[in-house]
Amino acid sequence: MKNPIRIGTRDSELALWQAHTVEKQLQDLGYQTEIVAVKSDGDLQLDRPLYELGITGIFTKTLDMALLQNRIDVAVHSMKDVPTALPQGIIQSAVLPRANVLDLLVLKQEAPDFENQPATIATGSLRRQAQWLHRYPQHTVVDLRGNVNSRLKKLHESTWAGAVFAAAGLERLGKSPAQAITLDWMVPAPAQGAMVVLNRADDWGIQEAVSQLNDPETEICVHIERQFLRTLEGGCTAPIGAWAKYNEQTDQISFEGVVLSLDGKKRLSMSETIPVQDWKKAGYYWAQKILNAGGNELMTEIRAQLPSNQS
């Protein structure tokens, strides 16, 4: 391959960290690379909650266009930001080994008894908001947008008790605060902690190069989670969590999935373990279980409450 591989990325610190991680791995394989950073609509429009912007693809469509217009060769994303249906002409070439999948509550100050008192918690995620309110209905949840650094700054300058972050993002940047609580009860977003690399479907040389970075275990687990999400949401953003884990000792996959009403008052969940060879349609079947157990009605309720561009 004579020309350098042009690696497209958002220009936030975390996105650039991810792009440079891919760059380093490609360089270790002998490829020349070049980083191309762009701003997405999701980075530019910080004054409205994500669900009002049309969250599907808000962080990825700028790079999608750059790919299709041959201005970059690959795009690197946090996989949880990528729509479950990729644009025509774009394919997934690699999923990197997964980092920490859990969420963290970053506290503004030490507050050991905040759980039993009225408190304000910040997050820009409907999933986190609904799960938090389900567990702590006495709390208030406010919107929080921006990159990791700006969100940490807003928390420091606020009167909030804390804010919820993905552990992986903080860990990758070396910014995990001492005053943080791991939310092991909160079901993560589908594909949280995973990085994905996309390329043009007709660019076989690039696909061959990048596919060497793929981690099969992570690829299977996030496939299940995203299939669960796609089957449930039907084009509608909703508070949905999913986590598939591979157990090497038993050669099984355990799964936990959840969908909640926007206010957190209604919660439908399921968990199951299967042999790893049954993974291909597992997310679909588990989503159908949720839908048949009241999920259809709940999703109809959610669509009615969201802006029209979300349903």
Side-chain angles (χ1 to χ4, degrees):
M1 193 173 295
K2 296 181 180 179
N3 298 322
I5 298 175
R6 297 166 297 172
I7 302 172
T9 176
R10 293 160 58 193
D11 66 353
S12 71
E13 184 180 4
L14 178 57
L16 287 167
W17 183 95
Q18 294 177 157
H20 283 296
T21 298
V22 171
E23 178 180 51
K24 173 65 166 55
Q25 294 187 24
L26 287 172
Q27 289 177 346
D28 288 346
L29 292 171
Y31 297 101
Q32 293 184 322
T33 62
E34 175 188 352
I35 298 289
V36 180
V38 299
K39 281 193 179 293
S40 72
D41 288 350
D43 294 314
L44 295 171
Q45 301 182 48
L46 300 178
D47 57 341
R48 295 165 60 195
L50 279 174
Y51 66 82
E52 289 187 2
L53 297 176
I55 191 172
T56 302
I58 190 69
F59 289 123
T60 60
K61 63 182 182 182
T62 304
L63 289 176
D64 289 342
M65 290 301 301
L67 262 181
L68 294 172
Q69 294 170 357
N70 197 22
R71 291 185 282 121
I72 58 175
D73 299 307
V74 300
V76 180
H77 298 289
S78 292
M79 199 171 189
K80 68 176 182 177
D81 293 335
V82 177
T84 54
L86 296 178
Q88 185 174 354
I90 294 177
I91 60 173
Q92 173 182 307
S93 45
V95 181
L96 274 64
R98 199 172 204 172
N100 192 336
V101 307
L102 296 175
D103 291 304
L104 289 179
L105 175 68
V106 178
L107 298 168
K108 184 177 180 184
Q109 56 191 7
E110 191 172 348
D113 196 37
F114 84 97
E115 295 180 347
N116 300 313
Q117 301 174 359
T120 300
I121 303 298
T123 174
S125 160
L126 288 179
R127 173 189 59 84
R128 292 170 179 152
Q129 170 187 296
Q131 291 191 79
W132 192 272
L133 291 174
H134 180 80
R135 190 176 181 92
Y136 303 113
Q138 74 276 21
H139 288 178
T140 300
V141 178
V142 296
D143 186 59
L144 177 61
R145 293 286 315 284
N147 60 39
V148 170
N149 292 323
S150 66
R151 282 182 285 147
L152 287 170
K153 184 173 184 288
K154 289 176 184 178
L155 172 61
H156 177 72
E157 296 172 347
S158 74
T159 59
W160 308 328
V164 184
F165 291 77
L170 294 172
E171 291 172 0
R172 284 166 174 160
L173 296 179
K175 296 183 178 180
S176 300
Q179 294 180 166
I181 300 171
T182 298
L183 304 178
D184 53 8
W185 53 267
M186 182 174 282
V187 183
Q192 184 156 307
M195 293 163 48
V196 66
V197 187
L198 308 179
N199 67 273
R200 287 183 301 280
D202 59 358
D203 198 335
W204 299 107
I206 293 293
Q207 184 182 1
E208 181 180 7
V210 176
S211 64
Q212 298 174 74
L213 310 184
N214 190 61
D215 180 67
E217 177 183 319
T218 302
E219 180 186 22
I220 288 173
C221 288
V222 297
H223 171 89
I224 291 170
E225 295 163 9
R226 285 164 59 79
Q227 189 179 65
F228 177 83
L229 171 66
R230 184 175 186 178
T231 305
L232 277 180
E233 67 181 358
C236 170
T237 298
I240 296 170
W243 188 10
K245 293 175 283 184
Y246 173 66
N247 186 316
E248 189 174 358
Q249 280 72 40
T250 63
D251 205 29
Q252 293 180 317
I253 291 175
S254 60
F255 177 82
E256 182 178 7
V258 64
V259 58
L260 301 95
S261 59
L262 299 182
D263 60 10
K265 292 181 179 179
K266 299 176 184 177
R267 182 181 188 274
L268 297 173
S269 64
M270 62 84 57
S271 60
E272 196 166 314
T273 299
I274 60 168
V276 69
Q277 60 263 29
D278 296 337
W279 66 272
K280 287 190 177 180
K281 295 289 288 184
Y284 170 81
Y285 292 124
W286 287 329
Q288 289 296 329
K289 284 190 176 183
I290 290 277
L291 291 171
N292 293 333
N296 277 310
E297 293 79 5
L298 182 54
M299 290 303 300
T300 298
E301 175 186 316
I302 291 168
R303 290 187 186 98
Q305 294 173 347
L306 288 171
S308 58
N309 66 342
Q310 287 294 288
S311 58

